[in-house]
Short mmCIF file of all heavy atoms in Angstrom, two decimals:
data_model
loop_
_atom_site.label_atom_id
_atom_site.label_comp_id
_atom_site.label_asym_id
_atom_site.label_seq_id
_atom_site.Cartn_x
_atom_site.Cartn_y
_atom_site.Cartn_z
N MET A 1031 30.40 -38.59 21.61
CA MET A 1031 28.98 -38.83 21.59
C MET A 1031 28.33 -37.96 20.54
O MET A 1031 28.83 -36.90 20.21
CB MET A 1031 28.39 -38.56 22.97
CG MET A 1031 28.50 -37.08 23.44
SD MET A 1031 27.74 -36.87 25.05
CE MET A 1031 28.23 -35.18 25.34
N LYS A 1032 27.17 -38.37 20.07
CA LYS A 1032 26.42 -37.61 19.07
C LYS A 1032 25.08 -37.26 19.67
O LYS A 1032 24.39 -38.10 20.20
CB LYS A 1032 26.23 -38.46 17.80
CG LYS A 1032 25.48 -37.72 16.73
CD LYS A 1032 25.29 -38.52 15.50
CE LYS A 1032 26.56 -38.61 14.69
NZ LYS A 1032 26.38 -39.29 13.40
N LYS A 1033 24.69 -35.98 19.48
CA LYS A 1033 23.38 -35.53 19.94
C LYS A 1033 23.03 -34.21 19.28
O LYS A 1033 23.87 -33.56 18.70
CB LYS A 1033 23.37 -35.35 21.46
CG LYS A 1033 24.31 -34.26 21.95
CD LYS A 1033 24.22 -34.11 23.44
CE LYS A 1033 25.17 -32.98 23.96
NZ LYS A 1033 25.09 -32.77 25.39
N SER A 1034 21.73 -33.84 19.33
CA SER A 1034 21.34 -32.52 18.90
C SER A 1034 21.66 -31.59 20.04
O SER A 1034 21.50 -31.93 21.17
CB SER A 1034 19.86 -32.49 18.58
OG SER A 1034 19.54 -33.35 17.49
N PHE A 1035 22.13 -30.40 19.69
CA PHE A 1035 22.56 -29.48 20.75
C PHE A 1035 22.12 -28.06 20.36
O PHE A 1035 22.30 -27.65 19.23
CB PHE A 1035 24.06 -29.54 20.91
CG PHE A 1035 24.55 -28.88 22.18
CD1 PHE A 1035 24.68 -29.62 23.36
CD2 PHE A 1035 24.92 -27.56 22.21
CE1 PHE A 1035 25.13 -29.07 24.51
CE2 PHE A 1035 25.40 -26.99 23.37
CZ PHE A 1035 25.50 -27.72 24.48
N PRO A 1036 21.54 -27.28 21.27
CA PRO A 1036 21.18 -25.91 20.93
C PRO A 1036 22.35 -25.10 20.51
O PRO A 1036 23.43 -25.17 21.11
CB PRO A 1036 20.56 -25.36 22.23
CG PRO A 1036 20.13 -26.60 23.00
CD PRO A 1036 21.14 -27.64 22.63
N TYR A 1037 22.13 -24.30 19.44
CA TYR A 1037 23.25 -23.44 19.05
C TYR A 1037 22.64 -22.17 18.43
O TYR A 1037 21.44 -22.11 18.15
CB TYR A 1037 24.13 -24.15 18.03
CG TYR A 1037 23.44 -24.56 16.74
CD1 TYR A 1037 23.41 -23.76 15.65
CD2 TYR A 1037 22.74 -25.77 16.74
CE1 TYR A 1037 22.75 -24.16 14.52
CE2 TYR A 1037 22.11 -26.17 15.61
CZ TYR A 1037 22.08 -25.36 14.50
OH TYR A 1037 21.45 -25.75 13.38
N MET A 1038 23.44 -21.19 18.28
CA MET A 1038 22.98 -19.89 17.75
C MET A 1038 23.33 -19.74 16.29
O MET A 1038 24.36 -20.22 15.86
CB MET A 1038 23.57 -18.73 18.53
CG MET A 1038 23.13 -18.69 19.99
SD MET A 1038 23.69 -17.15 20.74
CE MET A 1038 22.74 -15.99 19.79
N LEU A 1039 22.48 -19.05 15.59
CA LEU A 1039 22.78 -18.71 14.18
C LEU A 1039 23.65 -17.45 14.15
O LEU A 1039 23.15 -16.36 14.40
CB LEU A 1039 21.47 -18.48 13.37
CG LEU A 1039 21.62 -18.10 11.97
CD1 LEU A 1039 22.20 -19.29 11.20
CD2 LEU A 1039 20.24 -17.77 11.38
N ALA A 1040 24.89 -17.64 13.84
CA ALA A 1040 25.81 -16.51 13.83
C ALA A 1040 25.96 -15.89 12.48
O ALA A 1040 26.45 -14.74 12.34
CB ALA A 1040 27.18 -16.91 14.35
N ALA A 1041 25.61 -16.58 11.44
CA ALA A 1041 25.64 -16.00 10.08
C ALA A 1041 24.38 -16.46 9.39
O ALA A 1041 23.95 -17.59 9.54
CB ALA A 1041 26.90 -16.51 9.34
N CYS A 1042 23.83 -15.58 8.57
CA CYS A 1042 22.52 -15.85 7.99
C CYS A 1042 22.59 -16.33 6.57
O CYS A 1042 23.49 -15.91 5.85
CB CYS A 1042 21.69 -14.57 8.01
SG CYS A 1042 21.39 -14.01 9.72
N SER A 1043 21.71 -17.22 6.22
CA SER A 1043 21.66 -17.74 4.89
C SER A 1043 21.44 -16.66 3.83
O SER A 1043 20.82 -15.62 4.12
CB SER A 1043 20.53 -18.76 4.78
OG SER A 1043 20.17 -19.00 3.46
N ALA A 1044 21.96 -16.86 2.63
CA ALA A 1044 21.71 -15.96 1.54
C ALA A 1044 20.23 -15.94 1.13
O ALA A 1044 19.72 -15.03 0.50
CB ALA A 1044 22.56 -16.28 0.34
N LEU A 1045 19.49 -16.98 1.52
CA LEU A 1045 18.11 -17.11 1.12
C LEU A 1045 17.12 -16.53 2.11
O LEU A 1045 16.06 -16.10 1.77
CB LEU A 1045 17.78 -18.60 0.89
CG LEU A 1045 18.70 -19.30 -0.08
CD1 LEU A 1045 18.37 -20.76 -0.18
CD2 LEU A 1045 18.59 -18.66 -1.46
N ALA A 1046 17.41 -16.59 3.41
CA ALA A 1046 16.55 -16.03 4.40
C ALA A 1046 17.31 -15.81 5.69
O ALA A 1046 18.29 -16.54 5.96
CB ALA A 1046 15.38 -17.02 4.68
N LEU A 1047 16.94 -14.86 6.45
CA LEU A 1047 17.58 -14.56 7.71
C LEU A 1047 16.73 -15.12 8.82
O LEU A 1047 15.61 -14.78 8.99
CB LEU A 1047 17.76 -13.05 7.85
CG LEU A 1047 18.73 -12.44 6.83
CD1 LEU A 1047 18.15 -11.19 6.22
CD2 LEU A 1047 20.05 -12.15 7.50
N VAL A 1048 17.31 -15.95 9.65
CA VAL A 1048 16.57 -16.62 10.70
C VAL A 1048 17.12 -16.28 12.07
O VAL A 1048 18.28 -16.55 12.38
CB VAL A 1048 16.70 -18.16 10.50
CG1 VAL A 1048 15.87 -18.87 11.57
CG2 VAL A 1048 16.24 -18.56 9.14
N GLY A 1049 16.29 -15.59 12.86
CA GLY A 1049 16.72 -15.27 14.21
C GLY A 1049 17.70 -14.13 14.31
O GLY A 1049 18.16 -13.78 15.37
N CYS A 1050 18.01 -13.49 13.16
CA CYS A 1050 18.96 -12.36 13.19
C CYS A 1050 18.22 -11.12 13.66
O CYS A 1050 17.24 -10.75 13.09
CB CYS A 1050 19.53 -12.12 11.81
SG CYS A 1050 20.51 -13.47 11.17
N GLY A 1051 18.74 -10.52 14.66
CA GLY A 1051 18.16 -9.27 15.15
C GLY A 1051 16.97 -9.45 16.06
O GLY A 1051 16.36 -8.48 16.56
N SER A 1052 16.59 -10.69 16.35
CA SER A 1052 15.41 -10.95 17.21
C SER A 1052 15.82 -10.92 18.66
O SER A 1052 16.97 -11.20 19.03
CB SER A 1052 14.76 -12.32 16.81
OG SER A 1052 15.66 -13.31 17.03
N ASP A 1053 14.84 -10.59 19.55
CA ASP A 1053 15.12 -10.63 20.96
C ASP A 1053 15.11 -12.05 21.49
O ASP A 1053 14.46 -12.92 20.96
CB ASP A 1053 14.02 -9.81 21.70
CG ASP A 1053 14.06 -8.33 21.30
OD1 ASP A 1053 15.17 -7.86 21.02
OD2 ASP A 1053 12.99 -7.67 21.35
N ASP A 1054 15.80 -12.28 22.59
CA ASP A 1054 15.91 -13.61 23.15
C ASP A 1054 15.95 -13.47 24.66
O ASP A 1054 16.84 -12.83 25.23
CB ASP A 1054 17.14 -14.34 22.66
CG ASP A 1054 17.17 -15.78 22.98
OD1 ASP A 1054 16.69 -16.15 24.04
OD2 ASP A 1054 17.73 -16.55 22.15
N ASP A 1055 14.93 -14.05 25.36
CA ASP A 1055 14.87 -13.96 26.81
C ASP A 1055 16.07 -14.54 27.49
O ASP A 1055 16.50 -14.14 28.55
CB ASP A 1055 13.60 -14.69 27.33
CG ASP A 1055 12.31 -13.95 26.87
OD1 ASP A 1055 12.43 -12.74 26.55
OD2 ASP A 1055 11.27 -14.64 26.84
N SER A 1056 16.69 -15.54 26.79
CA SER A 1056 17.89 -16.20 27.37
C SER A 1056 19.00 -15.21 27.54
O SER A 1056 19.85 -15.36 28.39
CB SER A 1056 18.30 -17.43 26.57
OG SER A 1056 18.67 -17.01 25.28
N ASP A 1057 19.09 -14.21 26.68
CA ASP A 1057 20.11 -13.19 26.79
C ASP A 1057 19.98 -12.43 28.10
O ASP A 1057 20.97 -12.12 28.78
CB ASP A 1057 20.04 -12.19 25.63
CG ASP A 1057 20.47 -12.82 24.31
OD1 ASP A 1057 20.81 -14.01 24.36
OD2 ASP A 1057 20.48 -12.11 23.29
N GLU A 1058 18.72 -12.10 28.48
CA GLU A 1058 18.49 -11.37 29.72
C GLU A 1058 18.91 -12.25 30.90
O GLU A 1058 19.47 -11.69 31.89
CB GLU A 1058 17.01 -11.01 29.83
CG GLU A 1058 16.58 -10.06 28.68
CD GLU A 1058 15.09 -9.74 28.79
OE1 GLU A 1058 14.44 -10.16 29.77
OE2 GLU A 1058 14.56 -9.10 27.87
N GLU A 1059 18.65 -13.50 30.82
CA GLU A 1059 19.04 -14.39 31.92
C GLU A 1059 20.53 -14.53 32.10
O GLU A 1059 21.01 -14.96 33.13
CB GLU A 1059 18.42 -15.80 31.68
CG GLU A 1059 16.88 -15.78 31.66
CD GLU A 1059 16.34 -17.11 31.21
OE1 GLU A 1059 17.15 -18.03 30.94
OE2 GLU A 1059 15.11 -17.27 31.13
#
């Protein structure tokens, strides 16, 4: 099956860092 699925950014682009080092409430859960 094909679908969009939540995933984490494990490596950051050379052009911009997205979500790296940011807090995430889901981690606490």
Side-chain angles (χ1 to χ4, degrees):
M1031 63 180 175
K1032 179 181 286 188
K1033 63 178 181 178
S1034 297
F1035 195 90
Y1037 60 95
M1038 295 189 64
L1039 179 65
C1042 297
S1043 162
L1045 304 177
L1047 293 134
V1048 183
C1050 296
S1052 61
D1053 294 330
D1054 192 325
D1055 293 339
S1056 62
D1057 289 1
E1058 298 177 6
E1059 296 171 2

